[in-house]
Amino acid sequence: MSIRLPDATGALRLYEPRAEPLTVRPGPPLASRTVLSAAHVVADPYADTTPDSPAAVDWDATLAFRRHLWANGLGVAEAMDTAQRGMGLEWAGAAGLIRRSAAEARACGGRIACGVGTDQLAAGTLAEVRAAYEEQLAVVEESGAQAILMASRALTAAAAGPEDYLEVYGHLLRQAAEPVILHWLGPMFDPALEGYWGSTDLDAATATFLEVVAAHPEKVDGVKVSLLDARREVDLRRRLPDGVRCYTGDDFHYPELIAGDEKGFSHALLGIFDPLGPLAAEAVRVLDTGDVAGFRELLDPTVELSRHLFRAPTRFYKTGVVFLAWLAGHQTHFTMVGGLQSARSLPHLARAYELADSLGLFPDPKLAEERMKCLLAVQGVEQ
């Protein structure tokens, strides 16, 4: 009972799929860490769309996946990078997603935080950037969700220097009704964000970022850092004001950052916790008991999969996330908004299948195997 998988050289090799999944059952609420999964959207596979047309979303399947995350004890970070903001999901679609998911969260009693950006604006003045942020902030606050102030491509283009970031973010934080999460997304996730906070020097950018937080600590629940640099994140979290949390967005080093050290730890807001949901929740429950070694024993083996999905060009990690959701049975197809299912190669997807299967992530390994074989057959790989 083996499957022939292509590797990066074009050669085929045999892989024997796992017979049984990892057994993880929902447990009590997570206690020691706040954990949010940035969730993907499920496309409508029957919509007659093109890569540059408005997204067509399968709302039933999209909301069902969020219920899956809530049922396992995770919170949902909605309408974020993982949901293809700016890469297939435009603001009108994101606004509908925010409203629907926030209503579902109220019905389920699930935690939700939603992305606030400026993606309805291609480019503009600082005043237009502020207005775009304000429009999205109003939608999120009216939905009852917590706001995540996302990095803005338009602000990157409009800002002349750090002072413009201080002005725009200060304005938004002063008017926010409740404490928000500030999100710093690095250029490896979105090249248009190069030089965010007014400098390509990360030390200078960090100083500006921390200045924003220090000026409004009562309006900042936490900061989410996605720079894939564990040392820099640890340094930053040690410099945060008391009461301001650090949410790791480092999909390469998350076990060690969440576990922490004698001086503190990171909470989590991660795209990799979309495919790892139940396993990640189980690991944090182990950590809740004080068993750091047990936590690392569960989560450390997942890093190879995460590094594979998020390898350069990192912005295309969403393809692997949705692919694994299809193999796991959370959706009936491997179609993405914007046609992004074509963004990763067949050898890349084959390796993602192998790594996820070896971890026991698929609730029905046989279904995952059958779907993988279907994809391989379409690409001309005979079994």
Side-chain angles (χ1 to χ4, degrees):
M1 299 296 293
S2 59
I3 180 171
R4 299 174 77 206
L5 298 176
D7 64 21
T9 71
L12 294 175
R13 56 188 173 75
L14 291 178
Y15 170 71
E16 185 173 340
R18 182 169 173 148
E20 298 293 335
L22 180 70
T23 301
V24 177
R25 296 183 177 85
L30 309 186
S32 64
R33 305 289 189 273
T34 299
V35 181
L36 299 170
S37 168
H40 74 279
V41 293
V42 182
D44 178 355
Y46 303 119
D48 186 12
T49 59
T50 63
D52 57 356
S53 63
V57 177
D58 181 336
W59 294 112
D60 289 342
T62 294
L63 295 176
F65 187 77
R66 280 129 184 86
R67 290 193 296 271
H68 155 74
L69 294 172
W70 286 319
N72 281 280
L74 302 179
V76 168
E78 187 57 276
M80 301 292 292
D81 186 55
T82 307
Q84 295 181 243
R85 288 290 292 271
M87 290 186 68
L89 185 69
E90 76 296 342
W91 166 236
L97 177 64
I98 287 166
R99 294 186 178 103
R100 290 169 185 260
S101 292
E104 198 73 19
R106 289 194 299 273
C108 296
R111 175 167 180 166
I112 188 169
C114 298
V116 171
T118 64
D119 45 326
Q120 74 273 51
L121 182 70
T125 65
L126 287 177
E128 290 170 330
V129 170
R130 285 196 303 271
Y133 265 128
E134 289 171 339
E135 177 189 354
Q136 296 200 15
L137 180 61
V139 169
V140 171
E141 291 187 337
E142 288 166 5
S143 77
Q146 183 181 23
I148 303 171
L149 294 187
M150 302 170 65
S152 162
R153 294 174 180 172
L155 179 55
T156 309
E163 64 282 353
D164 288 336
Y165 288 87
L166 293 171
E167 192 280 326
V168 169
Y169 276 89
H171 176 83
L172 294 169
L173 289 171
R174 283 190 294 273
Q175 72 178 51
E178 301 291 340
V180 308
I181 298 172
L182 295 181
H183 185 194
W184 183 0
L185 191 70
M188 67 288 294
F189 289 91
D190 186 344
L193 298 176
E194 182 73 44
Y196 211 73
W197 304 110
S199 179
T200 55
D201 181 315
L202 286 179
D203 290 335
T206 298
T208 302
F209 183 52
L210 288 170
E211 188 175 346
V212 170
V213 177
H216 307 276
E218 75 287 353
K219 286 296 186 73
V220 181
D221 164 68
V223 301
K224 194 262 188 178
V225 186
S226 297
L227 298 176
L228 304 182
D229 185 333
R231 180 199 58 79
R232 184 170 295 278
E233 179 176 319
V234 170
D235 175 70
L236 186 149
R237 81 184 181 202
R238 290 175 179 173
R239 298 164 64 187
L240 291 172
D242 290 343
V244 176
R245 293 186 259 198
C246 181
Y247 293 87
T248 187
D250 190 330
D251 299 278
F252 285 3
H253 307 99
Y254 51 94
E256 65 198 72
L257 291 164
I258 296 170
D261 55 30
E262 68 282 355
K263 294 183 179 180
F265 57 82
S266 295
H267 299 272
L269 196 168
L270 287 162
I272 191 56
F273 281 5
D274 179 303
L276 293 183
L279 177 56
E282 177 65 16
V284 175
R285 289 190 184 95
V286 171
L287 186 60
D288 289 344
T289 70
D291 184 358
V292 176
F295 165 80
R296 296 294 299 268
E297 185 178 350
L298 281 171
L299 214 53
D300 281 0
T302 69
V303 171
E304 185 178 6
L305 170 63
S306 188
R307 285 176 174 264
H308 178 73
L309 295 181
F310 284 79
R311 79 181 193 187
T314 302
R315 63 188 182 278
F316 296 127
Y317 77 88
K318 298 97 168 171
T319 302
V321 167
V322 174
F323 172 66
L324 294 182
W326 172 55
L327 294 183
H330 294 299
Q331 54 195 78
T332 60
H333 58 86
F334 179 37
T335 304
M336 298 177 66
V337 299
L340 209 64
Q341 66 272 12
S342 65
R344 290 296 200 188
S345 69
L346 186 63
H348 179 92
L349 297 176
R351 180 60 176 159
Y353 160 73
E354 180 179 1
L355 290 170
D357 180 74
S358 67
L359 290 168
L361 294 184
F362 301 129
D364 184 344
K366 191 62 180 176
L367 174 66
E369 179 187 349
E370 290 171 354
R371 289 184 170 183
M372 187 69 226
K373 286 180 175 178
C374 286
L375 179 66
L376 292 166
V378 169
Q379 300 296 327
V381 179
E382 298 181 357
Q383 297 298 318

